[in-house]
Amino acid sequence: MTTERPGSPAPLVIDGGDRLCAELILELSRRVGRTEPGTVVHLIATDPAAPLDLPAWCHLTGHTYLGPVPGTPRPAYALRVSPGARRTRGDAPWHPLTPSAPPAEDGPRPPNAGDPA
């Protein structure tokens, strides 16, 4: 699969080493948030969950998953940064960023509320 356009700049390479996919997505989210739209990113990841989690994260955020990068000594996966990507939580980038809902009011419970019959 071709991950770069002819004449395009070299991809941004993020070496995830042997980190677990959750840590990789945290790093990827931070880095992609500061990257120009259209940039191709190569994520080096040995975690066996990466080929599943990365496309799912791209689907969630709107970035374009380009697939495995061929001819690399370690597994690497490519994506293209999208201009209108959806933001995610900084502490949990696998959750979309949504406006905070007002806290539920704790009022008195009616008798037997939630109690088994």
Side-chain angles (χ1 to χ4, degrees):
M1 165 179 273
T2 302
T3 59
E4 300 171 41
R5 297 176 184 149
S8 64
L12 168 64
V13 176
I14 300 173
D15 189 344
D18 293 329
R19 288 184 281 172
L20 296 175
C21 216
E23 295 169 321
L24 296 172
I25 297 293
L26 281 166
E27 165 106 12
L28 179 63
S29 179
R30 283 190 294 268
R31 300 279 299 273
V32 165
R34 300 185 308 253
T35 303
E36 288 293 318
T39 301
V40 172
V41 177
H42 288 182
L43 177 66
I44 300 169
T46 58
D47 185 327
L52 301 172
D53 288 350
L54 186 57
W57 183 79
C58 287
H59 179 75
L60 170 75
T61 59
H63 296 295
T64 304
Y65 179 67
L66 301 173
V69 178
T72 58
R74 293 183 293 158
Y77 308 92
L79 66 99
R80 181 170 289 114
V81 178
S82 295
R86 287 179 289 285
R87 295 181 57 209
T88 57
R89 288 179 34 192
D91 64 329
W94 42 90
H95 294 287
L97 185 64
T98 56
S100 298
E105 292 184 28
D106 289 332
R109 290 175 41 159
N112 300 323
D115 295 336

